[in-house]
């Protein structure tokens, strides 16, 4: 899984040989208390709530093309995204990876273990904020195919050739809570009809150094429990695309060929009363029908 994930020691070596731009996704207070040298703070990677209207998608792309260009990404540098640890920010470093990939950026890495792994390795940190040179960031339109809208997700409901994969926490999956930000943050609780469920934590394993992604075979074994193989088209969602980005990275690294994300996710779906939902405890039929 070395193609996207990079260890702290590997990153330290890479920084000596290749131009890199380090993107810190944490909140400004955490960034200000200490960060990787020359890292640029882009907390909007985590906080931005997207909508999947044409206008919303255009705004999403232009906003982050501007932000990544301002951070110094021109296409020739390797973008390295990190958070505090792999489970402290709901997958926010992976959300950065997803956004960069969706915009068509050619070279993206995620620091495996985040800031904690870097600090634990005794590598240097700083409180100095850099002054990056703004670069021209180019969007590759066809790369945006990994982003799907509500209409595309709705068309997949009932299509047993597509796995709709919900990776939210269990209280959201069973309809007890509408979001990680409070039970009633959204107007409706439940799930997209026909979805199968793999909680995002299951892509990772505990280690003495903190959570790390499981091996390719173990991730594929988790997927097989809900009928997903490397050739199954997968449409991911969570609440706002952070936890689903963690799963997106895991599935792509494990060789699942067609993985796309409904980035508006439950925050958008639940606010449109015309869109169908399943409520209450899932039944055996509703859970297994998609995997059949």
């Amino acid at each position: 899984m070395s193609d996207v994930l990079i260890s702290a020691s590997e990153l330290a070596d890479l920084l000596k040989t290749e131009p890199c731009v380090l993107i810190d996704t944490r909140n400004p207070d955490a960034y200000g208390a200490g960060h990787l040298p020359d890292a640029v703070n882009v907390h909007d990677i985590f906080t931005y709530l997207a909508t999947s209207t044409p206008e919303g998608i255009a705004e999403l792309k232009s906003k982050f093309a501007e932000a990544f260009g301002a951070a110094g990404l021109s296409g020739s540098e390797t973008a390295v995204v990190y958070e505090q640890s792999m489970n402290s920010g709901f997958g926010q470093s992976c959300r950065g990876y997803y956004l960069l990939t969706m915009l068509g950026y050619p070279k993206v890495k995620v620091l495996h273990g985040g800031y904690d792994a870097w600090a634990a390795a005794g590598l240097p940190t700083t409180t100095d904020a850099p002054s990056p040179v703004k670069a021209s960031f180019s969007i590759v339109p066809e790369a945006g195919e990994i982003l799907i809208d509500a209409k595309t997700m709705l068309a997949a409901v009932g299509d047993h050739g597509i796995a709709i994969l919900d990776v939210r926490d269990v209280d959201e999956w069973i309809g007890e809570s509408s979001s990680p930000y409070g039970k009633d943050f959204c107007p409706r609780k439940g799930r997209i009809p026909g979805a199968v469920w793999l909680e995002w934590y299951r892509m990772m394993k505990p280690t003495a150094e903190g959570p790390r992604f499981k091996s390719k075979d173990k991730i594929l074994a988790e997927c097989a429990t809900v009928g997903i193989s490397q050739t199954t088209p997968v449409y991911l969602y969570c609440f706002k695309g952070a936890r689903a980005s963690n799963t997106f990275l895991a599935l792509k690294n494990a060789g699942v060929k067609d993985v796309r994300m409904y980035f508006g996710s439950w925050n958008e779906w639940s606010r449109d009363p015309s869109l169908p939902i399943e409520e209450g405890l899932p039944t055996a039929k509703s859970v297994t029908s998609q995997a059949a």
Side-chain angles (χ1 to χ4, degrees):
M1 293 177 67
S2 60
D3 52 335
V4 175
L5 296 168
I6 187 168
S7 71
S9 60
E10 288 169 338
L11 176 56
D13 290 339
L14 184 70
L15 291 171
K16 297 172 186 173
T17 60
E18 287 187 28
C20 297
V21 172
L22 306 179
I23 306 290
D24 186 315
T25 63
R26 300 174 301 158
N27 68 51
D29 288 344
Y31 173 81
H35 50 264
L36 275 62
D38 295 321
V40 181
N41 188 218
V42 189
H43 189 47
D44 279 349
I45 285 171
F46 178 58
T47 57
Y48 188 81
L49 293 175
T51 58
S52 65
T53 61
E55 298 80 8
I57 290 173
E59 181 185 335
L60 172 73
K61 290 183 176 182
S62 64
K63 176 182 177 62
F64 284 102
E66 173 69 23
F68 291 134
L73 287 172
S74 70
S76 61
E77 307 82 9
T78 297
V80 183
V81 193
Y82 71 90
E83 58 187 286
Q84 188 73 31
S85 67
M86 298 319 294
N87 69 342
S88 60
F90 294 102
Q92 67 192 62
S93 59
C94 302
R95 198 180 200 239
Y97 157 71
Y98 175 81
L99 287 167
L100 283 159
T101 303
M102 183 269 295
L103 293 170
Y105 197 78
K107 297 187 284 188
V108 190
K109 302 276 188 186
V110 169
L111 176 56
H112 202 188
Y115 178 86
D116 287 353
W118 180 269
L123 292 162
T125 62
T126 183
T127 56
D128 295 336
S131 299
V133 176
K134 186 175 181 178
S136 176
F137 186 100
S138 298
I139 296 173
V140 180
E142 55 268 29
E145 291 177 358
I146 62 171
L147 175 69
I148 62 171
D149 60 14
K151 289 180 181 178
T152 305
M153 182 62 98
L154 180 61
V157 172
D159 182 343
H160 299 306
I162 297 172
I164 299 174
L165 181 56
D166 185 324
V167 303
R168 296 174 300 162
D169 293 9
V170 65
D171 58 341
E172 295 163 85
W173 165 249
I174 66 173
E176 282 190 359
S177 176
S178 70
S179 83
Y181 304 103
K183 290 191 174 186
D184 299 310
F185 186 87
C186 290
R188 298 192 294 170
K189 305 179 183 77
R191 60 199 161 272
I192 296 175
V196 294
W197 178 61
L198 276 178
E199 197 171 21
W200 70 293
Y201 292 115
R202 286 172 63 180
M203 299 297 109
M204 298 181 288
K205 62 183 180 182
T207 75
E209 292 79 36
R212 297 291 187 271
F213 279 96
K214 293 178 178 177
S215 69
K216 168 184 171 178
D217 286 347
K218 288 178 181 176
I219 286 169
L220 291 175
E222 293 284 5
C223 290
T225 65
V226 292
I228 293 173
S229 72
Q230 286 177 311
T231 58
T232 308
V234 179
Y235 287 4
L236 290 167
Y237 78 96
C238 57
F239 173 71
K240 65 174 185 182
R243 290 169 291 179
S245 292
N246 181 288
T247 305
F248 179 88
L249 186 157
L251 268 55
K252 292 302 290 182
N253 261 351
V256 181
K257 295 177 178 62
D258 185 2
V259 187
R260 309 183 194 207
M261 196 196 311
Y262 170 42
F263 203 65
S265 281
W266 192 252
N267 181 61
E268 180 180 52
W269 189 275
S270 68
R271 298 180 192 280
D272 184 346
S274 73
L275 295 171
I277 63 170
E278 285 178 357
E279 300 176 87
L281 288 172
T283 63
K285 182 178 179 182
S286 69
V287 173
T288 59
S289 62
Q290 186 73 34

